[in-house]
Amino acid sequence: MPTRIEQYQKRVLDKALPLSEKVVEAFYRYPRHLCVPEYTVAEAYSDHPLLLWNKPPFLSTISQPSFVLKILDMMNLQKGHRVFELGSGSGWNTALMAYLVGEEGKVVSVEVIPELAIRAQKYLEQNKIFNALVKLGDGFEGDTSEAPYDRVIFTAGSAEFPNILFDQLKIGGLMIFVRENDLGYDFLELIEKQEDGKQRVLETIPCSFVSVIRKSAGDADASPA
């Protein structure tokens, strides 16, 4: 007889399927409810975003769980991949990606809100995840420490394309970019870096994300991109 938590998890998976076996493994390896203890288990597995930080002018959420899993599947993460993540949030997505790239891989996640950067890094340490690192800073600038990256993922939206960060992506690498527009919703784009260094959009999905925050959230000048 499935436990209550297993029932909640199955509902999320049913909405996200089809998924690769490894993504499903990652989902069970790092249960969502353990990274958002401020919410009930039922709330943690509700299929919509949850607020993590709402102190003006900064806003952060943990994304809809079924959509998180679909995005990870789109990224086609492999053992040994190096990944850059803009926006650490709770650290849940960071942990899932760390599982998918294995001990041979590395995830570098940059978070602009100091309190969330501390929270996400603590979550990784508590779960003994040593192939992922959370840094405080402006993720829009990327991070050269592990560049070039096999994969880049945005967990917030921007009307401006991150050219500096795209330069840190390998030829043939994939980027998940959330492009804001004036239509009232965003577009999640799966972008491949071609041999000539140009973008090739492989897939586009309507979505809704919070806006990217530039600079450090501790700076008075920090503002959405």
Side-chain angles (χ1 to χ4, degrees), residues 90-151:
S90 68
W92 185 53
N93 193 55
T94 315
L96 297 176
M97 292 192 296
Y99 180 85
L100 292 170
V101 301
E103 294 180 0
E104 312 93 328
K106 184 68 176 288
V107 179
V108 176
S109 184
V110 176
E111 172 59 53
V112 73
I113 301 173
E115 290 82 357
L116 290 184
I118 293 170
R119 169 180 174 154
Q121 183 60 35
K122 184 178 179 181
Y123 175 76
L124 297 178
E125 293 170 355
Q126 288 174 337
N127 285 276
K128 295 180 172 54
I129 299 171
F130 304 118
N131 63 332
L133 177 66
V134 175
K135 296 185 176 183
L136 175 66
D138 183 353
F140 216 75
E141 301 294 325
D143 185 277
T144 59
S145 64
E146 295 293 332
Y149 295 97
D150 298 279
R151 301 288 187 267

Side-chain angles (χ1 to χ4, degrees), residues 158-192:
S158 174
E160 177 188 356
F161 188 77
N163 290 306
I164 294 176
L165 182 48
F166 192 70
D167 287 343
Q168 296 174 20
L169 182 65
K170 284 183 178 179
I171 297 295
L174 300 177
M175 170 184 277
I176 294 288
F177 177 60
V178 180
R179 193 181 298 273
E180 294 181 333
N181 57 69
D182 56 5
L183 299 176
Y185 53 88
D186 307 326
F187 285 111
L188 184 142
E189 298 177 345
L190 177 65
I191 302 172
E192 180 184 44

Side-chain angles (χ1 to χ4, degrees), residues 37-112:
E38 64 265 49
Y39 289 97
T40 66
V41 173
E43 289 170 334
Y45 290 104
S46 59
D47 202 35
H48 58 73
L50 298 174
L51 190 64
L52 292 174
W53 188 264
N54 189 26
K55 293 187 179 181
F58 311 115
L59 175 68
S60 180
T61 64
I62 179 172
S63 299
Q64 177 183 356
S66 66
F67 198 46
V68 170
L69 299 180
K70 288 179 181 178
I71 293 171
L72 291 177
D73 211 53
M74 290 171 63
M75 292 178 72
N76 190 25
L77 292 165
Q78 302 295 322
K79 297 290 186 184
H81 271 177
R82 286 177 293 185
V83 183
F84 178 86
E85 178 185 38
L86 182 148
S88 312
S90 68
W92 185 53
N93 193 55
T94 315
L96 297 176
M97 292 192 296
Y99 180 85
L100 292 170
V101 301
E103 294 180 0
E104 312 93 328
K106 184 68 176 288
V107 179
V108 176
S109 184
V110 176
E111 172 59 53
V112 73

